[in-house]
Amino acid sequence: AQSVTQPDIHITVSEGASLELRCNYSYGATPYLFWYVQSPGQGLQLLLKYFSGDTLVQGIKGFEAEFKRSQSSFNLRKPSVHWSDAAEYFCAVGARGNTPLVFGKGTRLSVIA
Amino acid sequence: GAVVSQHPSWVICKSGTSVKIECRSLDFQATTMFWYRQFPKQSLMLMATSNEGSKATYEQGVEKDKFLINHASLTLSTLTVTSAHPEDSSFYICSAPQGVSGNEQFFGPGTRLTVL
């Protein structure tokens, strides 16, 4: 069965510090991987996605993620966090074709001055 | 990118009433749409898959008679919560796949349902 694990429920970082959010997946085939961000009461915004090719993926707002097949991971990183990055982050996995996504439980990011 | 809209963005209703939520793909056709539910401080859970021209398929534990789905056209799917109860209060989000492989998922902004 497909599953996504985000081990960290809540992370607090200082503004300007680097960030890494962890994501591990379990999937039987080549996965399509996504990171979304959600602000309170809002919908999802796609940060980046990985389908194939270069395993280091660049996204919006200065985020990047690296696909590591050997570790079944797709961790999200940002070199310098801004206060506006405080939100809930979801990792998701999907398959080729018109299939739904499976989401992790999310990681809440707090940013302190 | 493609745009998916939802209407209404929020709704408050009395217990026992029915509520209809619309999901539209604005600039592309979607033969398939997905409905998710997100309870407070939780993740998105797939409720059902809406298929144009055929019956929706529901995930285990989701009552098909309570959550009626109609894929009326290639750009519109509706979710009707029948006889809503407070435990149905949640954030409902739809998505539609688009792109060559169908794996570019575009999400609607969500509908906040509060049942009093």
Side-chain angles (χ1 to χ4, degrees):
Chain A
Q2 310 159 24
S3 67
V4 177
T5 301
Q6 293 181 246
D8 305 304
I9 296 174
H10 184 204
I11 285 182
T12 300
V13 299
S14 298
E15 190 170 15
S18 64
L19 171 70
E20 182 170 34
L21 302 183
R22 296 182 291 165
C23 173
N24 293 95
Y25 65 90
S26 174
Y27 206 71
T30 299
Y32 288 6
L33 294 157
F34 306 83
W35 273 100
Y36 290 89
V37 62
Q38 184 181 37
S39 296
Q42 302 296 312
L44 299 176
Q45 181 179 25
L46 178 66
L47 288 176
L48 47 78
K49 58 184 182 286
Y50 172 78
F51 287 174
S52 65
D54 193 345
T55 57
L56 185 62
V57 180
Q58 301 297 319
I60 63 172
K61 302 183 178 186
F63 286 94
E64 68 177 25
E66 186 171 12
F67 171 58
K68 293 186 177 180
R69 184 184 300 275
S70 62
Q71 298 177 21
S72 297
S73 69
F74 188 57
N75 294 347
L76 181 72
R77 299 191 295 250
K78 185 170 184 177
S80 178
V81 170
H82 188 262
W83 64 267
S84 60
D85 293 324
E88 190 85 19
Y89 291 79
F90 293 98
C91 180
V93 65
R96 178 183 294 274
N98 291 339
T99 60
L101 299 185
V102 175
F103 286 84
K105 292 186 181 297
T107 297
R108 182 161 63 94
L109 173 66
S110 296
V111 180
I112 57 176
Chain B
V3 178
V4 174
S5 70
Q6 281 185 243
H7 178 79
S9 56
W10 59 270
V11 57
I12 301 173
C13 69
K14 293 182 179 180
S15 185
T17 60
S18 295
V19 174
K20 179 185 287 187
I21 303 170
E22 293 184 349
C23 176
R24 293 181 185 273
S25 55
L26 296 185
D27 48 3
F28 66 101
Q29 294 182 334
T31 57
T32 300
M33 292 183 176
F34 303 109
W35 286 97
Y36 297 84
R37 180 168 53 183
Q38 183 182 30
F39 290 110
K41 299 188 183 302
Q42 296 190 27
S43 187
L44 282 77
M45 297 298 292
L46 179 69
M47 294 177 66
T49 300
S50 175
N51 304 296
E52 193 271 336
S54 64
K55 291 182 179 180
T57 56
Y58 292 81
E59 295 301 297
Q60 190 173 8
V62 178
E63 299 174 56
K64 62 179 181 180
D65 295 329
K66 180 171 184 61
F67 298 98
L68 302 179
I69 291 174
N70 180 29
H71 205 123
S73 72
L74 288 172
T75 60
L76 174 63
S77 174
T78 60
L79 168 68
T80 301
V81 183
T82 63
S83 186
H85 289 282
E87 58 264 31
D88 299 322
S89 298
S90 187
F91 195 52
Y92 293 86
I93 303 177
C94 69
S95 76
Q98 194 246 7
V100 175
S101 65
N103 251 87
E104 188 75 46
Q105 295 266 357
F106 293 92
F107 284 83
T111 297
R112 173 77 56 193
L113 170 63
T114 300
V115 184
L116 302 178

